[in-house]
Amino acid sequence: MKWYKLSIEDVLNKLTAQTTGLTKQEREVRLKNNGPNKIEEKEQVKLWRKIAKHFTDLLMIVLILAAVLKFATGEWVEGGIIFLVVIVNGLVGYWQERKAEESLDGLRQMMGQEATVLNEGQPIKLDAEELVEGDIVLLKAGDVIPADLRLIEVHDLTVEESILTGESEAVEKIVAPIEREALAGDQLNMAFSGTLVQTGSARGLVVETGDATEIGKINHALQAIQAQETPLVKKMHQLNKQIFRGILALILFLLFFTSFRYGMDWNLMFSASIALIVAMIPEGLPAVLTMILSMGVKEMADENAIIKGMPAVETLGSMTVICSDKTGTLTKNEMTVQAVVTEELSVVKEIMNNCQELKTRDEQKIETIHGNPTELALLKYVAEEEQQLKPVVAKIPFSSRYKYMATMHTDGEEQVIFVKGAPEVLLEKADVTNEEKVNWEKQGLDLASKGQRVLGFGYKKGFLTELTHESLSNLTFVGLAGIIDPPKESAVRAIEQAQQAGISVKMITGDHKATAQAISEQIGLKHTSIILEGADIDEMSDEELAETVGVVDVYARTTPEHKLRIVTALQKQEEVVGMTGDGVNDAPALKQADIGIAMGIKGSEVSKQAADMVLADDNFFTIVKAVKEGRRIFDNLQKTINFFLPTALAQGLIVILAMLMNQPLPLTPIQILWVNMVTTITLSYAIGFEQASRDTMTRPPRDAKMGILSGYSFFRIVYVSLLIMIPAYFLSMRFEGTALQQTILLQSIVLGQAVYMINCREKFDPAINRRFFENKFLFISLGLLFILQLGVVFLPLGQQLIGTTALNLAQQLLILGNALLLFLIVELEKRISKEIFKRKEKTAIRYQND
């Protein structure tokens, strides 16, 4: 229902209400029929479900089955170790990624807790939940409006609606019906639930309660939005499926090949299959990825970016579009005088200093004054002048009805009236020629075309006895001032860097079209010639909007529904979307976006709870720093996975090779788990501390559809696994004794991993470079690995637990030689591959140019 279009009498008739309020009996009947004034609560996910989801990953299920099979065959120690690894990984995942669904609680708290209503003409206090349609609510300064109201009586009422519109300036309210179509921010005869009465008093008729209010609609939108699966989670699921298919294919190969060649030995096949599963599943990988993401969360917190869910760290790095609010994010949220047009600047400044209501004493510091943003901007402009205030004799406060403010002061033996307000109104009251009027109007339009709010200034001197609207004639018009909320310098710099990194920036604001265009040009957005307003979006289908969003960077006069549609349209175009916001109105879009970014200082609790990241400093530049960190983290995640998988495949191939050669299993499941976990504890963590590469913020975002492993990665994994497996296996076969063979094989694999970890520091560049010595954790991890391996190989307790024996110097040197050969081959391959990729890029560029 468009209540703002109806007259007060029509609204009363539709709701069967009276200006004296409802009776107790009427309220009880309506409350029973329509329900309480509260928003719908969403059922919370049970704790056991939150924990269980971390044990339902495909590879974790495979490991659980392997443990169960071990238990079934009586191998309790090996089964217990595998099961323990699963439990630790699952609990770590739950602990690190738990995230409460708190958005609803924040919205409930936004609604007024108590209301004053008329009960048969008498004011009474009620719990806000007991309000019903038809109640007459009394409002005063400081009240949180408890339901959506159609105002029926106002006395200088201004309402701060930033939680709904995003605009910080309070709105002056009226009671007259509005005939044209109007968005929430333009419905001046309505007062919305959760907004704050800043000044004045009023009476309002309850027209909507609970979920039907504007806040209720936002809540409904929040509940309807499904949580977005981050690119990292998608990629990891894809990787898990690839690993699972690889394991299944190799097990089937073993079953067919060995049964045809050597006959079916079920016990051997059973043990080999479990060994293959344990060998090829990188059990430590989830813990390492969690650790790298945790480090990223800490690094970002140090940069004022608070991450609420760890996968969001990587999502930042793959972001292709940032949709940003204007006020306070791209701009300073501080109205500022940008231009003054006058030939009598000192007089204009005198009017600015005296024709206002905020500063009442000369000793007041500008930093301590709060209130109307426009008056505050004027006072800041003249603050350095240190003018003395003139005593106020009389005052006409500003009102949107007559669009000006006037004050009268003593000026020697005479009086002076200072007036500020809409230029067109003051010019009608001024003593100016037609030529002068046209000139002032032209200069005012020039300021307005730059998105500035234009104020006019005038005065009148003489022996004046009173200040009335009628006395404001024959004014001397002295000048114009253009006021705007200017862009932050850091935002301009950040947008430039984002665009260099291939990220498109779009501005979505509730402000007017002219202001939005002016700001968008100043901050350097690319597509500013076309601006879509909320009304334009309403006329578009979802398909039409999806086709348009790519070439439009500026959206004005938008509502929460528009923001949500814009984000959804961009996602239909397969963009990875970041959305910034601070008001309740931004919450649905924040939740829908791939990465929701809330403001920490001026943001509402609801927006913070709906977002994935909170900017502690409300600085757009922090987003760009977070993007760089996100890209660095993904690079390190990719390096870690590329490091893990060759070893896992090498261990699996060793099992297969042994079966093909009709040899006993070369390593026990405990030894395989030791290899996997020792590298997790030591080597993998070092890669997480690698710094960002030089091209981190000059290359385009990754294609979200691409898997975490490229074709080149598969090539690297396969040949490195062969380089680890073949020399290690045949070296171990040169010696007699199961324990000695297993120890040489285990030591060869671990040392091969150590040198390959150094290879993985750089994708194509030499591993030993200047930055090699800057990562102190690299040397700590190598040292820790050395100590652990010494304990396993030479200490009796380690030998007993893992099944190893001591090695002599000659055996150690042979193992070291294999490791160094691996390192040199990988470094040579990297150099050759770099040249091949360079040639391909040059060919592609030439082809595009032609």
Side-chain angles (χ1 to χ4, degrees), residues 758-776:
I758 298 172
N759 288 128
C760 286
R761 285 189 59 255
E762 300 284 355
K763 187 173 182 180
F764 292 121
D765 294 332
I768 308 297
N769 53 22
R770 183 175 57 82
R771 293 197 305 159
F772 174 76
F773 300 98
E774 293 174 359
N775 187 351
K776 64 180 180 181

Side-chain angles (χ1 to χ4, degrees), residues 425-455:
V425 175
L426 268 61
L427 283 169
E428 288 297 326
K429 295 177 175 291
D431 184 13
V432 292
T433 65
N434 283 335
E435 185 180 350
E436 289 172 332
K437 184 179 179 182
V438 169
N439 182 51
W440 284 119
E441 287 173 344
K442 182 181 177 182
Q443 296 191 76
L445 286 171
D446 183 53
L447 295 177
S449 68
K450 298 174 183 175
Q452 297 174 21
R453 181 184 176 189
V454 185
L455 281 179

Side-chain angles (χ1 to χ4, degrees), residues 244-298:
F244 176 74
R245 291 191 192 109
I247 292 171
L248 194 61
L250 290 174
I251 289 175
L252 290 174
F253 172 76
L254 274 181
L255 285 171
F256 283 104
F257 184 87
T258 56
S259 60
F260 279 118
R261 179 156 186 185
Y262 303 115
M264 181 67 72
D265 183 342
W266 284 106
N267 286 334
L268 181 61
M269 288 306 305
F270 182 75
S271 298
S273 296
I274 291 179
L276 194 60
I277 289 170
V278 175
M280 291 195 63
I281 291 179
E283 297 89 350
L285 186 57
V288 172
L289 298 186
T290 299
M291 179 277 303
I292 292 174
L293 289 171
S294 296
M295 288 193 304
V297 169
K298 183 181 181 303

